[in-house]
Amino acid sequence: MWRSNRHLARGGAQLQDQADAYILATWGEPRPPRRKPERAKARHLRDLRGTPPHRDSLLTPVDAPYSHPDRPAEIVRDYRCACGNPHPFTAVQAQVTSGNTKSGGCLRDQARRQRRSVISRAETQAVRAWARGWGIETGENGRVPARITASYRLSQAGRLDVLGADGLLEEARVQHWAQLNGQKLGARGRVTSEVWLAYATDALSRDELDDCSTEQ
Ligand SMILES: [Zn+2]
């Protein structure tokens, strides 16, 4: 026996039972429930609650949240980015609210550019001088290899524990760290410039907590 309306009070439910019994006696089977597709849809949409973007977000919602057309369990929303990109950007609402997604991609691009260009001329000179002291070849002109810059930064911060006997950061250590931290390595597992520098930044932010294997 079907119940057509869960919202009925108990008295209503009793009336419904009586009606069902009457229908069953009259037609020999209960009538199928009448569908009300528009109301059902309206209720579904109302369930998709809008949640605000994270306070650091560059995104502002353009419209109400909606179900992803291919993955209905995923609630997405269209946003406009404060960077001035005129095209709305569709993101998973929960990611925008948590702050995992803060922009339409421009922040990530900017961070990538900064990481690449953040080595100042003064630091490059300091790196060369430091490398000479260790007998490390840097060449006279142009960019110093990122491995050397990363090693220099760690050395300056007293993190000799992560440097090899030659004064340089060990490649295997950084490869291992990259794998654990989902950092993208280059072809054949080569450590890229970005990853050398990212390792140094990470190690400096975490002090010496992760290296219990090193000598005192
Ligand atoms: Zn943007």
Side-chain angles (χ1 to χ4, degrees), residues 56-98:
D56 299 336
S57 189
L58 292 187
L59 300 172
T60 310
V62 212
D63 221 330
Y66 57 95
S67 287
H68 190 284
D70 301 326
R71 299 183 296 278
E74 205 165 78
I75 299 172
V76 294
R77 201 168 187 180
D78 294 342
Y79 296 91
R80 212 173 285 287
C81 184
C83 69
N85 186 337
H87 303 291
F89 167 73
T90 305
V92 175
Q93 177 176 250
Q95 297 288 323
V96 175
T97 297
S98 73

Side-chain angles (χ1 to χ4, degrees), residues 9 13 37 40 42 48 53 60 83 98 127-128 147 154 174 184 192 210:
L48 297 184
T60 310
C83 69
S98 73
V127 174
R128 285 190 199 287
R147 182 185 185 185
L154 289 161
V174 179
K184 206 162 166 282
T192 63
D210 59 330

